[in-house]
Structure formats: C-alpha cells, structure tokens
Amino acid sequence: QVQLVESGGGLVQAGGSLRLSCAPSGSIFNINAMGWYRQAPGKRRGLVADINRSGITNYADSVKGRFTISRDNANNTVYLQMNSLKPEDTAVYYCNFWTPSWDYWGQGTQVTVSS
C-alpha cells in the first residue's frame, strides 16, 4: 500500500516560517488534486490549501497571504510554505492526494507555533 510521507514540521516562534513537504512512498497515477489539511486539538480536520493538476490553488481564509502551496508533478510532491506563523496555526498537518480511484492521506506532521 502506497503511503504519503510528510516532513518539515516542528516548533517555531510566532512570526517564523516552516516548509512542509509530502511525497508518496511508491507510484501513484492520475493525481488530480493535492492538498494540505490540519487538525488542532478538539477541532475537526479542515482544509488549509489545495492545488489541482493545472496549478490552480485554493486557500482557507485564515492562511491567505501567509501560506503558499506548490506541487512538483514530475516527482508527485506537494509543498506548503508557511510564513508569518501564528500560535493559532498550531495543529497536526496532513497531506492528501486525490485520484479517481483512491484518496491518499499522510500520517500527519506536528506544527507548533509558540507565542
């Protein structure tokens, strides 16, 4: 079973930056959308940003202007550049690849922003 492997999480002070990466452990075909979601303690998992095959992006209002999603189609990798981080960005971040036949999820990476 192919899995998504995330990296780049960690602890950062408010105002700092982190870059998350996500790539599959094997081959995945016909990836349409790639995205990042997050879940804070006691809250539901929600969309942070996604990007389709053509490069069209979509962001949650809370991260617009601070986060940038990008993808490398040749390597099936998605990135999330997070700038001007705030304590309320603290959450477990999950990557997601959507294909017509399956919906792939990563195991999650912790992002903690201290005030």
Side-chain angles (χ1 to χ4, degrees):
Q1 179 73 23
V2 176
Q3 297 181 341
L4 300 184
V5 181
E6 298 133 337
S7 61
L11 173 65
V12 64
Q13 289 188 333
S17 298
L18 284 173
R19 188 186 193 218
L20 305 183
S21 301
C22 174
S25 60
S27 297
I28 299 179
F29 301 98
N30 298 322
I31 301 171
N32 288 348
M34 296 179 174
W36 289 94
Y37 292 72
R38 68 186 181 187
Q39 187 169 17
K43 295 188 177 181
R44 299 178 65 178
R45 188 178 301 187
L47 176 70
V48 176
D50 60 22
I51 182 168
N52 69 9
R53 191 194 300 263
S54 299
I56 296 173
T57 59
N58 176 47
Y59 294 93
D61 287 343
S62 59
V63 306
K64 283 180 181 177
R66 300 188 297 122
F67 291 10
T68 302
I69 189 171
S70 60
R71 64 188 280 174
D72 178 351
N73 288 329
N75 295 302
N76 284 344
T77 301
V78 64
Y79 305 96
L80 185 68
Q81 178 66 43
M82 305 185 292
N83 298 329
S84 302
L85 282 160
K86 304 175 181 180
E88 51 264 44
D89 294 318
T90 295
V92 178
Y93 285 69
Y94 299 88
C95 66
N96 169 261
F97 286 9
W98 187 87
T99 74
S101 59
W102 197 256
D103 200 12
Y104 295 84
W105 289 92
Q107 80 286 353
T109 185
Q110 177 70 46
V111 171
T112 303
V113 185
S114 63
S115 57

